[in-house]
Amino acid sequence: MEEFGVTIAVIRVLGALAGCAVALPATAAEDDSRSAAGIQDNSFLIEEAYNQEAGVVQHIKTLRAQGGDAFFNFTQEWPVFSQRHQFSYSVPYSWLGPGDAAKQTLTDLILNFDEGGASEQGLGDVMLNYRWQALFENEHQPAFAPRLSLILPTGDREKDLGTESFGYQLNLPVSKIVSDRVTMHGNAGLTSFVDVDGRRPTSFNLGGSIIYAVNRDFNVLLETLGEWNQAVDEGEIVSELVFTVSPGVRYAFNFSDAQLVLGIAAPMSFAEGAQDFGALLYLSYEHSLSH
């Protein structure tokens, strides 16, 4: 079926990108000998405050299964003349299962999605992002890089894939290496849509993470995220509070002027007394524009 074919295609693309990246050169933060500096901008749920260096572009893919649904996201980050300014865009694609579907493992969800009777699938709301490196990290101050995003109404609201309204998102990420092996990140932000059935739903997020570097190439992560989400249902604003805890690991393959990072996590979400256990796969390829 179409759902099965699209899903398998996504998995094949992830595999192909990983295979190609191993054959290409890559780089890490070689000017900082601390173990925590080996992998700096590859978290899964929490945004770091490190812009791309001049001449370096990053391609990020995530695949997450949660609550009987699957979500794929592709983000590409580009420096604008220098590390001070960064442009990026994010393209989401979702497979939404029936509302009463039993919780499935990521493997079951992806490989047997057609058998589960997927209700809808398609493109979500695309985001165009600008991030300003307001503060560069040093011994005494953290990195700080506020981001402002334009949300485009590219998702179909009738299929629960979007809002069919323009919107914006503001996020305030802060990052600091606090010891040779430990990095901490914090986020605070909001997302607002201009006109959804004459209403203006606005959601808020607050989260943080702690990352332990076993060595420069292997990290253990613990991310936490609180979201107060608003949506419009039959002309009325409805709200939901969701808290997510996500332990994970990531590993970096470094080459001469590029870096490939693979990761896996187990996000656990809690909302209104209910809990949901999911899975997340992560792939990032960062390379110099010179090759």
Side-chain angles (χ1 to χ4, degrees), residues 173-189:
V174 178
S175 299
K176 184 71 173 75
I177 295 177
V178 297
S179 74
D180 181 70
R181 296 182 182 274
V182 177
T183 305
M184 300 185 72
H185 304 284
N187 286 181

Side-chain angles (χ1 to χ4, degrees), residues 51-276:
N51 275 1
Q52 290 300 112
E53 300 91 340
V56 177
V57 64
Q58 185 174 11
H59 318 270
I60 305 167
K61 306 96 191 166
T62 59
L63 180 63
R64 179 177 177 180
Q66 200 86 40
D69 304 321
F71 308 95
F72 175 77
N73 191 76
F74 173 75
T75 297
Q76 194 172 69
E77 297 180 344
W78 293 79
V80 181
F81 303 116
S82 71
Q83 191 174 353
R84 181 71 69 178
H85 307 283
Q86 176 180 285
F87 168 78
S88 65
Y89 62 89
S90 299
V91 181
Y93 195 95
S94 301
W95 295 262
L96 305 180
D100 59 351
K103 303 300 184 290
Q104 307 172 72
T105 66
L106 180 60
T107 302
D108 290 338
L109 184 62
I110 295 301
L111 298 183
N112 303 302
F113 207 83
D114 57 330
E115 297 177 9
S119 58
E120 300 292 352
Q121 67 163 317
L123 182 70
D125 289 341
V126 172
M127 296 177 62
L128 305 179
N129 316 297
Y130 166 74
R131 197 165 71 178
W132 175 48
Q133 190 76 55
L135 294 176
F136 289 90
E137 182 180 12
N138 60 36
E139 182 180 356
H140 304 291
Q141 75 179 17
F144 177 50
R147 169 176 57 82
L148 181 62
S149 301
L150 173 64
I151 304 174
L152 305 179
T154 51
D156 189 331
R157 187 181 174 197
E158 291 186 2
K159 297 181 178 181
D160 290 328
L161 297 170
T163 62
E164 297 185 350
S165 168
F166 283 96
Y168 66 89
Q169 184 176 91
L170 174 66
N171 200 40
L172 304 175
V174 178
S175 299
K176 184 71 173 75
I177 295 177
V178 297
S179 74
D180 181 70
R181 296 182 182 274
V182 177
T183 305
M184 300 185 72
H185 304 284
N187 286 181
L190 64 85
T191 303
S192 184
F193 292 93
V194 176
D195 184 3
V196 182
D197 289 346
R199 307 303 295 270
R200 189 167 188 148
T202 300
S203 303
F204 299 90
N205 65 275
L206 182 66
S209 67
I210 183 168
I211 300 172
Y212 179 77
V214 178
N215 54 50
R216 286 181 63 85
D217 298 329
F218 180 64
N219 292 176
V220 178
L221 302 80
L222 179 63
E223 299 177 288
T224 60
L225 178 63
E227 300 169 287
W228 189 63
N229 297 320
Q230 286 194 342
V232 177
D233 184 16
E234 298 182 352
E236 297 297 326
I237 294 285
V238 295
S239 302
E240 181 184 40
L241 179 62
V242 181
F243 180 70
T244 302
V245 179
S246 182
V249 295
R250 64 188 184 190
Y251 189 85
F253 299 87
N254 298 300
F255 305 90
S256 62
D257 64 349
Q259 183 183 67
L260 170 70
V261 176
L262 303 178
I264 186 169
M268 298 170 284
S269 294
F270 305 87
E272 298 181 356
Q275 62 183 25
D276 175 56

